[in-house]
DNA sequence: CGAGTCATTGATCTGTCTCAATATTAGTGG
DNA sequence: CCACTAATATTGAGACAGATCAATGACTCG
């Protein structure tokens, strides 16, 4: 069934990139770190910039950083100095309450920006943890601000990124406050699929990089309920689940579950 | 019991302002609309600006706008052009799902900025509704961006405001996903008290500007549960409730409820 | 291959929802 | 000013979705 899904690092986007040689040069950082060369430039910060503006942007990424699976990109309380653009890999962000309860606040993939939570208090408010080996572009926030003042298109884009996060969280609030387990999981899957699709992946299958517990935390339900709901969808022929592998059999039905209120 | 709470518009901050004469001149808009004159400048956008910078900022507020109780400052789908700073009154913001479910995403009071949700798609993603007669400062977003490029302190402040909203919503996610009814309501009350206190109000009593249903929507519980939880707190001698009037009798206990996980 | 992590499934329990009745307040017009 | 109506709030009883507790199964990785 799932034999076809063999990608070792499904959310990695290296395969969308230039020839292997260029890639390895990137990795060694002997090659200049540059947005204008990056395969993610249409998903990431540089979106909509002219060639000239892109050149200006190249100074923004100070360096790149590799994070091993399970490693912290930053932790709650850390001094905030930079934003990060994810190049490869997959992250979760989570806040931890005083009494130790963990709440996953989001899952981030290539081209997405993390670290915005740190701006308000000059220190991070959550943990960003790699769910698979990952690489990020380090963008000192001072640079971002300096360049934003010079490139209005970039300024607007930074504002949009923050606004997008606010709107996303509004949606999560709706999810958590109003929806039932099935609707939450359907919304979650549809959201992941849509974002992966924008990155060149299939609309009909995906590999979950996170555990049932992490999904449950994000969606406000227990891991057992996540598992049961997966099984239910499977029984109904909507999806096929085998551990972390999920294949979508009936995309429309999934949408219906997401949108249908009561029933 | 509650006879002492007689403020007609409890969350209005006019009383913190300069002599009445100045106020009425403001109101007639024959007097120049200016942040540098505003009593909220230490809570609102101009915070931390020098006198000179404040002068520059005075051009930012294009005009003021009065909203009657129940009126929409903006609605979901409206074109986004401006941010609003609340001068007086109290708002709720809410998103409405396709099938009509309403989710209150926040309550905003004097000095707070609304409209950030509109930046990402150039149209508003939620409704902003006045819960009492209100007045806002209209700040065209283009002006805000133009000025941000010239005044780094303002630029940083705009970023902080957006980041603060992201962090706030992270907290709400934790609330909705992990906490029980009592913890949610305790957190809600403590948050309101703290913000009102920063505006010169009592730490021990407040008037709820919103209905039980709106509180419930925000906190992900039904209005009956909100009511019951109020009654429970009341029975336990933690608060005194009479409709919209709430007096805090045991602030510490409220904090304990908020922080204690299981119990 | 074996230990540990992660996922599935079942049985039972419980916090909150739902439905329903009543009480209180705010608003309206005579 | 009071009566009437609609909106809001309180309280009770019963139902249910999801939590909790518990056992087993599957996969991963050194």
């Amino acid at each position: 069934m799932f034999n076809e899904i063999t990608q070792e690092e499904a959310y990695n986007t290296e395969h969308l990139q230039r020839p292997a040689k260029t890639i390895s040069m990137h990795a060694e950082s002997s090659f200049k770190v540059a947005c204008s060369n990056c395969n993610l430039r249409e998903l990431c910060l540089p979106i909509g910039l002219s060639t000239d503006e892109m050149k200006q942007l190249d100074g923004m990424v100070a360096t790149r950083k590799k994070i091993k699976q399970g490693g912290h990109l930053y932790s709650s309380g850390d001094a905030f100095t930079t934003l990060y653009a994810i190049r490869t890999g997959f992250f979760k962000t989570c806040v931890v309450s005083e009494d130790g309860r963990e709440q996953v606040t989001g899952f981030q993939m290539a081209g997405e920006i993390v670290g915005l939570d740190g701006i308000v208090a000059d220190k991070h408010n959550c943990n960003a943890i790699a769910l698979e080996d990952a690489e990020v572009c380090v963008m000192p926030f001072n640079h971002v601000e300096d360049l934003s003042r010079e490139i209005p298109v970039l300024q607007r884009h930074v504002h949009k990124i923050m606004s997008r996060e606010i709107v996303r969280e509004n949606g999560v609030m709706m999810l958590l406050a109003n929806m039932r387990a099935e609707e939450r999981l359907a919304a979650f899957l549809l959201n992941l699929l849509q974002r992966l699709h924008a990155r060149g992946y299939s609309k009909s299958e995906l590999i979950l990089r996170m555990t049932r517990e992490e999904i449950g935390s994000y969606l406000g339900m227990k891991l057992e309920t996540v598992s049961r709901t997966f099984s239910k969808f499977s029984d109904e022929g909507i999806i096929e689940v085998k551990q972390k592998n999920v294949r979508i059999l009936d995309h429309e039905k999934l949408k219906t579950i997401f949108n249908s209120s009561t029933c």
Side-chain angles (χ1 to χ4, degrees), chain A:
Chain A
M1 288 294 176
F2 280 96
N3 305 346
E4 293 151 52
I5 310 183
T6 51
Q7 308 133 290
E8 261 304 272
E9 305 205 355
Y11 298 172
N12 243 299
T13 49
E14 293 290 354
H15 70 283
L16 295 173
Q17 220 171 13
R18 280 150 236 294
K21 197 180 172 194
T22 311
I23 297 170
S24 68
M25 287 173 77
H26 275 225
E28 289 162 19
S29 84
S30 58
F31 192 85
K32 193 177 181 311
V33 165
C35 290
S36 53
N37 285 322
C38 181
N39 61 311
L40 289 171
R41 62 181 178 279
E42 286 309 314
L43 281 169
C44 191
L45 256 200
I47 193 172
L49 264 60
S50 70
T51 316
D52 277 1
E53 290 164 339
M54 195 93 72
K55 283 268 186 303
Q56 283 187 266
L57 203 66
D58 283 350
M60 196 175 63
V61 175
T63 172
R64 293 210 179 119
K65 193 172 171 181
K66 287 185 192 293
I67 312 282
K68 282 262 162 238
Q69 180 171 9
H72 285 234
L73 176 56
Y74 57 81
S75 303
S76 191
D78 285 359
F80 165 77
T81 54
T82 90
L83 298 178
Y84 304 91
I86 300 173
R87 256 180 70 79
T88 64
F90 201 82
F91 285 83
K92 70 170 178 179
T93 48
C94 53
V95 292
V96 179
S97 69
E98 296 197 19
D99 55 306
R101 278 177 285 189
E102 175 177 302
Q103 173 62 36
V104 173
T105 56
F107 298 108
Q108 296 83 18
M109 56 181 75
E112 298 179 331
I113 310 296
V114 294
L116 300 171
D117 60 276
I119 300 171
V120 62
D122 290 316
K123 64 174 194 228
H124 284 288
N125 184 257
C126 61
N127 303 317
I129 298 170
L131 296 181
E132 58 180 348
D133 290 357
E135 189 181 20
V136 299
C137 296
V138 177
M139 310 184 294
F141 191 54
N142 287 336
H143 292 207
V144 175
E145 288 193 319
D146 292 347
L147 275 168
S148 284
R149 288 197 300 274
E150 290 173 21
I151 312 174
V153 180
L154 177 65
Q155 179 191 34
R156 173 57 63 103
H157 193 51
V158 170
H159 290 153
K160 278 183 192 281
I161 286 169
M162 300 189 78
S163 177
R164 176 176 302 122
E165 180 66 4
I166 290 170
V167 168
R168 179 188 72 83
E169 295 196 359
N170 283 346
V172 177
M173 285 172 68
M174 165 69 84
L175 211 73
L176 292 172
N178 278 304
M179 299 193 176
R180 290 173 312 98
E182 291 165 47
E183 300 178 85
R184 295 183 199 190
L185 193 63
F188 171 75
L189 288 173
L190 289 168
N191 176 270
L192 267 189
L193 284 166
Q194 175 251 308
R195 285 155 69 201
L196 288 169
H197 187 58
R199 283 158 183 78
Y201 295 101
S202 167
K203 261 186 187 169
S204 62
E205 54 189 42
L206 73 164
I207 299 179
L208 299 169
R209 256 37 236 209
M210 69 295 284
T211 66
R212 301 290 189 263
E213 186 165 22
E214 286 160 340
I215 296 173
S217 172
Y218 183 60
L219 298 178
M221 47 209 256
K222 294 292 145 182
L223 70 95
E224 294 96 330
T225 307
V226 175
S227 184
R228 271 185 249 272
T229 309
F230 270 129
S231 299
K232 184 155 189 285
F233 285 174
S234 188
D235 291 348
E236 290 168 352
I238 299 167
I239 63 175
E240 223 167 56
V241 191
K242 198 184 170 200
Q243 303 288 125
K244 307 255 187 193
N245 301 287
V246 178
R247 172 171 298 162
I248 311 301
L249 302 176
D250 194 339
H251 206 275
E252 282 310 308
K253 216 162 182 177
L254 212 51
K255 276 196 209 166
T256 309
I257 291 173
F258 172 44
N259 285 326
S260 74
S261 56
T262 42
C263 85

